[in-house]
Amino acid sequence: MTEQDKKKNPRIIKLKEFVERVQKAYDGHISLVNAKKLTDAVFLVLHDALVEGREFHHRKIGRFKTITLKEQERFNPKTREKFMRQKVRKVRFKPSPHLVEDVNVNKVFDD
């Protein structure tokens, strides 16, 4: 990641940097290509599980799950026209206590 990219938004981790960190976590014993394949495979499995409506739990990260919002009557505020919102599935994330603690221990607030 270049310094210019970090200056744009230092709080966002790009896929390239993420893959480099995965490679570094393996002490360089895997190539960047294999680290990218591993990263893509993990995200694909998570994606497929959520599409199937299954939950993903990780003790140190948290829980990903899908919820279904029921059909609901809504209205357009401009026209006052009523309409029915269809059933919708959404992805929710609940951080684990470990993640919450680690995030708050570092206390890096750029706001």
Side-chain angles (χ1 to χ4, degrees):
M1 180 175 245
T2 65
E3 286 299 317
Q4 187 177 6
D5 289 340
K6 288 181 182 177
K7 288 178 184 174
K8 286 181 185 176
N9 193 344
R11 295 167 55 174
I12 295 176
I13 182 169
K14 303 271 179 144
L15 181 62
K16 182 178 179 183
E17 182 184 356
F18 190 85
V19 170
E20 289 169 354
R21 287 185 179 194
V22 168
Q23 182 193 29
K24 190 176 180 181
Y26 277 92
D27 297 324
H29 292 297
I30 61 173
S31 68
L32 272 176
V33 172
N34 286 337
K36 172 117 175 50
K37 288 179 183 178
L38 176 66
T39 303
D40 289 343
V42 168
F43 286 127
L44 182 63
V45 169
L46 178 59
H47 170 271
D48 290 346
L50 292 171
V51 168
E52 292 170 5
R54 299 178 69 189
E55 294 186 15
F56 173 78
H57 296 262
H58 189 281
R59 195 171 63 103
K60 290 191 174 189
I61 295 174
R63 178 176 60 181
F64 290 90
K65 69 177 184 175
T66 57
I67 62 167
T68 303
L69 301 177
K70 61 185 174 185
E71 195 175 85
Q72 188 177 34
E73 187 175 36
R74 295 286 182 101
F75 75 98
N76 183 336
K78 287 185 177 180
T79 64
R80 298 281 194 211
E81 180 183 348
K82 292 184 178 181
F83 65 94
M84 291 300 287
R85 184 196 69 198
Q86 295 179 347
K87 254 178 147 174
V88 179
R89 284 179 39 191
K90 294 192 171 204
V91 176
R92 293 289 185 246
F93 172 70
K94 181 178 180 187
S96 72
H98 298 287
L99 180 61
V100 171
E101 182 181 335
D102 289 347
V103 167
N104 287 313
V105 165
N106 290 328
K107 297 203 186 221
V108 178
F109 300 110
D110 295 335
D111 299 336

